[in-house]
Short mmCIF file of all heavy atoms in Angstrom, two decimals:
data_model
loop_
_atom_site.label_atom_id
_atom_site.label_comp_id
_atom_site.label_asym_id
_atom_site.label_seq_id
_atom_site.Cartn_x
_atom_site.Cartn_y
_atom_site.Cartn_z
N VAL V 60 3.70 1.88 89.72
CA VAL V 60 4.92 2.51 89.24
C VAL V 60 6.14 2.60 90.29
O VAL V 60 7.18 3.14 89.93
CB VAL V 60 4.67 3.98 88.74
CG1 VAL V 60 3.59 4.09 87.59
CG2 VAL V 60 4.31 4.95 89.90
N ALA V 63 9.18 1.69 88.53
CA ALA V 63 9.84 2.65 87.79
C ALA V 63 10.73 3.50 88.61
O ALA V 63 11.89 3.87 88.03
CB ALA V 63 8.75 3.55 87.10
N THR V 64 10.50 3.63 89.92
CA THR V 64 11.43 4.28 90.75
C THR V 64 12.67 3.36 90.92
O THR V 64 13.79 3.96 90.91
CB THR V 64 10.73 4.60 92.16
OG1 THR V 64 9.67 5.45 91.91
CG2 THR V 64 11.75 5.14 93.16
N ARG V 109 10.66 -0.40 84.69
CA ARG V 109 9.91 0.87 84.41
C ARG V 109 8.36 0.51 84.09
O ARG V 109 7.70 1.43 84.27
CB ARG V 109 10.64 1.60 83.28
CG ARG V 109 10.14 3.03 83.16
CD ARG V 109 10.88 3.74 82.12
NE ARG V 109 10.18 5.04 81.88
CZ ARG V 109 10.65 6.24 82.06
NH1 ARG V 109 11.94 6.42 82.27
NH2 ARG V 109 9.86 7.24 81.79
N VAL V 179 12.42 7.86 99.66
CA VAL V 179 11.94 8.01 98.16
C VAL V 179 10.39 7.93 98.26
O VAL V 179 9.92 6.87 98.75
CB VAL V 179 12.56 6.95 97.30
CG1 VAL V 179 12.35 7.44 95.80
CG2 VAL V 179 14.07 6.82 97.51
N PRO V 180 9.69 8.87 97.77
CA PRO V 180 8.38 8.85 97.90
C PRO V 180 7.52 7.87 97.02
O PRO V 180 7.95 7.64 95.97
CB PRO V 180 7.84 10.41 97.55
CG PRO V 180 8.86 10.70 96.59
CD PRO V 180 10.08 10.12 96.96
N THR V 190 5.65 17.15 99.30
CA THR V 190 5.59 16.94 97.86
C THR V 190 4.18 17.21 97.34
O THR V 190 3.21 17.03 97.97
CB THR V 190 5.90 15.27 97.54
OG1 THR V 190 6.13 15.24 96.07
CG2 THR V 190 4.93 14.51 98.06
N ASP V 191 4.29 17.75 96.06
CA ASP V 191 3.06 18.20 95.40
C ASP V 191 2.15 17.01 95.11
O ASP V 191 0.93 17.21 95.21
CB ASP V 191 3.35 18.95 94.07
CG ASP V 191 2.09 19.34 93.39
OD1 ASP V 191 1.41 20.25 93.88
OD2 ASP V 191 1.80 18.76 92.32
N CYS V 192 2.72 15.86 94.81
CA CYS V 192 1.94 14.67 94.66
C CYS V 192 2.88 13.49 94.94
O CYS V 192 4.09 13.65 95.07
CB CYS V 192 1.31 14.62 93.27
SG CYS V 192 2.56 14.52 92.02
N CYS V 193 2.26 12.21 95.02
CA CYS V 193 3.08 11.15 95.32
C CYS V 193 3.14 10.16 94.12
O CYS V 193 2.11 9.72 93.45
CB CYS V 193 2.49 10.33 96.50
SG CYS V 193 2.43 11.29 98.00
N PRO V 194 4.30 9.69 93.72
CA PRO V 194 4.34 8.71 92.59
C PRO V 194 3.41 7.52 93.02
O PRO V 194 3.50 7.04 94.13
CB PRO V 194 5.77 8.21 92.61
CG PRO V 194 6.47 9.48 93.06
CD PRO V 194 5.68 10.09 94.14
N GLY V 195 2.69 7.01 92.00
CA GLY V 195 1.63 5.98 92.37
C GLY V 195 0.29 6.51 92.27
O GLY V 195 -0.75 5.82 91.85
N PHE V 196 0.06 7.76 92.75
CA PHE V 196 -1.26 8.22 92.79
C PHE V 196 -1.82 8.63 91.36
O PHE V 196 -2.90 8.24 91.08
CB PHE V 196 -1.24 9.63 93.64
CG PHE V 196 -2.61 10.37 93.53
CD1 PHE V 196 -3.73 9.79 94.01
CD2 PHE V 196 -2.60 11.60 92.89
CE1 PHE V 196 -4.93 10.49 93.94
CE2 PHE V 196 -3.76 12.32 92.81
CZ PHE V 196 -4.97 11.62 93.37
N GLY V 197 -0.93 9.24 90.57
CA GLY V 197 -1.44 9.63 89.29
C GLY V 197 -2.04 8.44 88.50
O GLY V 197 -3.02 8.60 87.79
N SER V 198 -1.40 7.29 88.66
CA SER V 198 -1.84 6.07 87.91
C SER V 198 -3.23 5.46 88.38
O SER V 198 -4.07 5.16 87.65
CB SER V 198 -0.81 5.00 87.80
OG SER V 198 0.32 5.54 87.02
N SER V 347 -0.39 6.45 84.18
CA SER V 347 -0.41 7.88 83.74
C SER V 347 1.18 8.03 83.46
O SER V 347 2.06 7.80 84.17
CB SER V 347 -0.70 8.76 84.94
OG SER V 347 -0.01 10.00 84.82
N LYS V 348 1.31 8.71 82.17
CA LYS V 348 2.72 8.91 81.73
C LYS V 348 3.37 9.90 82.70
O LYS V 348 4.58 9.88 82.91
CB LYS V 348 2.68 9.48 80.30
CG LYS V 348 4.06 9.61 79.71
CD LYS V 348 3.90 10.09 78.15
CE LYS V 348 5.32 9.95 77.61
NZ LYS V 348 5.16 10.25 76.06
N THR V 349 2.61 10.95 83.19
CA THR V 349 3.15 11.99 84.11
C THR V 349 3.61 11.18 85.38
O THR V 349 4.65 11.46 85.92
CB THR V 349 2.05 12.90 84.44
OG1 THR V 349 1.57 13.52 83.23
CG2 THR V 349 2.47 13.95 85.38
N ASP V 350 2.82 10.16 85.78
CA ASP V 350 3.15 9.52 87.16
C ASP V 350 4.39 8.60 86.84
O ASP V 350 5.35 8.61 87.81
CB ASP V 350 1.96 8.62 87.36
CG ASP V 350 2.08 7.96 88.85
OD1 ASP V 350 2.62 8.61 89.72
OD2 ASP V 350 1.57 6.79 89.00
N VAL V 351 4.53 8.05 85.70
CA VAL V 351 5.70 7.22 85.43
C VAL V 351 7.02 8.08 85.41
O VAL V 351 7.94 7.73 86.10
CB VAL V 351 5.53 6.41 84.10
CG1 VAL V 351 6.92 5.65 83.90
CG2 VAL V 351 4.34 5.38 84.21
N ALA V 352 6.78 9.25 84.85
CA ALA V 352 7.87 10.10 84.81
C ALA V 352 8.33 10.53 86.20
O ALA V 352 9.52 10.67 86.56
CB ALA V 352 7.53 11.43 83.95
N HIS V 353 7.34 10.97 86.99
CA HIS V 353 7.62 11.40 88.38
C HIS V 353 8.40 10.20 89.15
O HIS V 353 9.27 10.45 89.82
CB HIS V 353 6.34 11.62 89.26
CG HIS V 353 5.58 12.76 88.87
ND1 HIS V 353 4.30 13.08 89.18
CD2 HIS V 353 6.01 13.95 88.18
CE1 HIS V 353 3.95 14.22 88.74
NE2 HIS V 353 4.91 14.78 88.19
N ALA V 354 7.85 8.99 89.02
CA ALA V 354 8.38 7.85 89.77
C ALA V 354 9.82 7.62 89.37
O ALA V 354 10.67 7.40 90.27
CB ALA V 354 7.51 6.59 89.45
N TYR V 355 10.01 7.64 88.05
CA TYR V 355 11.54 7.38 87.65
C TYR V 355 12.36 8.60 88.11
O TYR V 355 13.56 8.44 88.67
CB TYR V 355 11.52 7.33 86.06
CG TYR V 355 12.95 6.93 85.65
CD1 TYR V 355 13.25 5.54 85.50
CD2 TYR V 355 13.89 7.73 85.34
CE1 TYR V 355 14.36 5.12 85.01
CE2 TYR V 355 15.20 7.47 84.91
CZ TYR V 355 15.41 6.08 84.74
OH TYR V 355 16.64 5.65 84.41
N ALA V 356 11.89 9.74 88.06
CA ALA V 356 12.65 10.96 88.44
C ALA V 356 13.02 10.94 89.88
O ALA V 356 14.09 11.38 90.25
CB ALA V 356 11.93 12.26 88.13
N VAL V 357 12.18 10.54 90.82
CA VAL V 357 12.47 10.49 92.23
C VAL V 357 13.51 9.53 92.58
O VAL V 357 14.38 9.65 93.42
CB VAL V 357 11.32 10.46 93.16
CG1 VAL V 357 10.27 11.70 93.10
CG2 VAL V 357 10.53 9.07 92.90
N GLY V 358 13.51 8.43 91.79
CA GLY V 358 14.52 7.36 91.91
C GLY V 358 15.85 7.94 91.57
O GLY V 358 16.94 7.75 92.22
N ARG V 359 15.86 8.53 90.36
CA ARG V 359 17.14 9.11 89.83
C ARG V 359 17.75 10.12 90.73
O ARG V 359 18.93 10.21 91.20
CB ARG V 359 16.96 9.75 88.54
CG ARG V 359 18.16 10.26 87.78
CD ARG V 359 17.94 10.64 86.45
NE ARG V 359 16.69 11.57 86.37
CZ ARG V 359 15.94 11.79 85.33
NH1 ARG V 359 16.29 11.18 84.15
NH2 ARG V 359 15.03 12.68 85.41
N ALA V 360 16.75 11.04 91.24
CA ALA V 360 17.30 12.19 92.07
C ALA V 360 17.70 11.55 93.47
O ALA V 360 18.71 12.17 94.04
CB ALA V 360 16.09 13.10 92.38
N PRO V 374 13.63 13.27 97.81
CA PRO V 374 13.26 14.03 96.66
C PRO V 374 11.78 14.26 96.56
O PRO V 374 11.06 13.18 96.46
CB PRO V 374 13.78 13.17 95.44
CG PRO V 374 13.95 11.85 96.00
CD PRO V 374 14.09 11.88 97.52
N VAL V 375 11.39 15.46 96.35
CA VAL V 375 9.94 15.69 96.26
C VAL V 375 9.54 16.38 95.00
O VAL V 375 10.46 17.04 94.30
CB VAL V 375 9.29 16.55 97.49
CG1 VAL V 375 9.54 15.81 98.75
CG2 VAL V 375 10.09 17.90 97.48
N ILE V 376 8.33 16.23 94.57
CA ILE V 376 7.82 16.90 93.35
C ILE V 376 7.41 18.20 93.65
O ILE V 376 6.48 18.42 94.45
CB ILE V 376 6.83 15.99 92.65
CG1 ILE V 376 7.44 14.67 92.36
CG2 ILE V 376 6.15 16.56 91.48
CD1 ILE V 376 6.38 13.50 92.29
N VAL V 377 7.93 19.16 93.04
CA VAL V 377 7.55 20.70 93.07
C VAL V 377 6.75 21.01 91.75
O VAL V 377 7.32 20.94 90.62
CB VAL V 377 8.76 21.58 93.44
CG1 VAL V 377 8.33 23.07 93.51
CG2 VAL V 377 9.51 21.11 94.61
N ARG V 378 5.60 21.54 91.96
CA ARG V 378 4.83 22.03 90.80
C ARG V 378 5.19 23.53 90.57
O ARG V 378 5.03 24.31 91.51
CB ARG V 378 3.39 21.88 90.98
CG ARG V 378 2.46 22.21 89.82
CD ARG V 378 1.02 22.16 90.15
NE ARG V 378 0.56 20.73 90.55
CZ ARG V 378 -0.46 20.24 90.06
NH1 ARG V 378 -1.36 20.87 89.18
NH2 ARG V 378 -0.80 18.95 90.52
N TYR V 384 1.47 22.24 82.46
CA TYR V 384 1.95 21.57 83.73
C TYR V 384 3.48 21.51 83.64
O TYR V 384 4.12 21.03 82.62
CB TYR V 384 1.36 20.22 83.83
CG TYR V 384 1.98 19.42 85.01
CD1 TYR V 384 1.80 19.85 86.28
CD2 TYR V 384 2.55 18.28 84.77
CE1 TYR V 384 2.15 19.18 87.39
CE2 TYR V 384 3.00 17.55 85.93
CZ TYR V 384 2.77 18.01 87.24
OH TYR V 384 3.25 17.29 88.31
N ARG V 385 4.09 22.02 84.66
CA ARG V 385 5.59 22.03 84.84
C ARG V 385 5.89 21.66 86.26
O ARG V 385 5.37 22.07 87.20
CB ARG V 385 6.18 23.41 84.49
CG ARG V 385 6.15 23.82 83.09
CD ARG V 385 7.23 24.68 82.63
NE ARG V 385 7.00 25.20 81.30
CZ ARG V 385 6.42 26.36 80.95
NH1 ARG V 385 5.89 27.11 81.92
NH2 ARG V 385 6.29 26.64 79.68
N TRP V 386 6.97 20.81 86.41
CA TRP V 386 7.40 20.28 87.70
C TRP V 386 8.91 20.04 87.65
O TRP V 386 9.63 20.04 86.61
CB TRP V 386 6.67 19.08 87.98
CG TRP V 386 6.87 17.95 86.94
CD1 TRP V 386 6.17 17.81 85.83
CD2 TRP V 386 7.76 16.77 87.01
NE1 TRP V 386 6.67 16.73 85.02
CE2 TRP V 386 7.67 16.10 85.75
CE3 TRP V 386 8.85 16.36 87.93
CZ2 TRP V 386 8.39 14.94 85.54
CZ3 TRP V 386 9.45 15.27 87.75
CH2 TRP V 386 9.27 14.56 86.53
N LYS V 387 9.39 20.04 88.91
CA LYS V 387 10.93 19.66 89.11
C LYS V 387 11.00 18.97 90.40
O LYS V 387 10.09 18.85 91.18
CB LYS V 387 11.73 21.02 89.19
CG LYS V 387 11.32 21.93 90.30
CD LYS V 387 12.23 23.24 90.34
CE LYS V 387 11.64 24.26 91.44
NZ LYS V 387 12.38 25.30 91.52
N ILE V 388 12.17 18.39 90.53
CA ILE V 388 12.47 17.64 91.79
C ILE V 388 13.30 18.34 92.73
O ILE V 388 14.38 18.96 92.24
CB ILE V 388 13.05 16.21 91.39
CG1 ILE V 388 12.17 15.47 90.48
CG2 ILE V 388 13.38 15.39 92.66
CD1 ILE V 388 10.97 14.85 90.99
N TYR V 422 -5.57 21.05 90.11
CA TYR V 422 -4.52 20.19 90.66
C TYR V 422 -4.43 18.83 90.09
O TYR V 422 -3.31 18.28 89.62
CB TYR V 422 -4.77 20.09 92.26
CG TYR V 422 -3.86 18.98 92.84
CD1 TYR V 422 -2.55 19.35 93.12
CD2 TYR V 422 -4.31 17.87 93.21
CE1 TYR V 422 -1.71 18.43 93.65
CE2 TYR V 422 -3.44 16.86 93.69
CZ TYR V 422 -2.16 17.19 93.95
OH TYR V 422 -1.34 16.19 94.43
N PRO V 425 -3.39 17.35 85.53
CA PRO V 425 -2.10 17.08 84.93
C PRO V 425 -1.64 15.75 85.43
O PRO V 425 -0.79 15.18 84.57
CB PRO V 425 -1.14 18.18 85.53
CG PRO V 425 -2.06 19.29 86.08
CD PRO V 425 -3.27 18.60 86.48
N LEU V 426 -2.03 15.28 86.46
CA LEU V 426 -1.48 13.99 86.99
C LEU V 426 -1.85 12.72 86.36
O LEU V 426 -1.25 11.74 86.45
CB LEU V 426 -1.80 13.89 88.65
CG LEU V 426 -1.39 15.18 89.40
CD1 LEU V 426 -1.66 14.85 90.86
CD2 LEU V 426 0.04 15.56 89.20
N ILE V 427 -2.93 12.81 85.56
CA ILE V 427 -3.43 11.64 84.91
C ILE V 427 -3.12 11.75 83.41
O ILE V 427 -3.43 10.87 82.67
CB ILE V 427 -4.96 11.36 85.13
CG1 ILE V 427 -5.76 12.42 84.42
CG2 ILE V 427 -5.31 11.23 86.56
CD1 ILE V 427 -7.28 11.91 84.18
#
Side-chain angles (χ1 to χ4, degrees):
Chain V
V60 302
T64 300
R109 192 179 167 123
V179 195
T190 189
D191 179 68
C192 63
C193 300
F196 170 67
S198 293
S347 149
K348 188 172 189 174
T349 304
D350 190 34
V351 175
H353 287 163
Y355 190 89
V357 296
R359 185 173 51 200
V375 296
I376 296 154
V377 177
R378 182 186 300 224
Y384 177 59
R385 291 205 185 94
W386 56 280
K387 60 182 177 178
I388 304 287
Y422 170 77
L426 306 182
I427 70 165

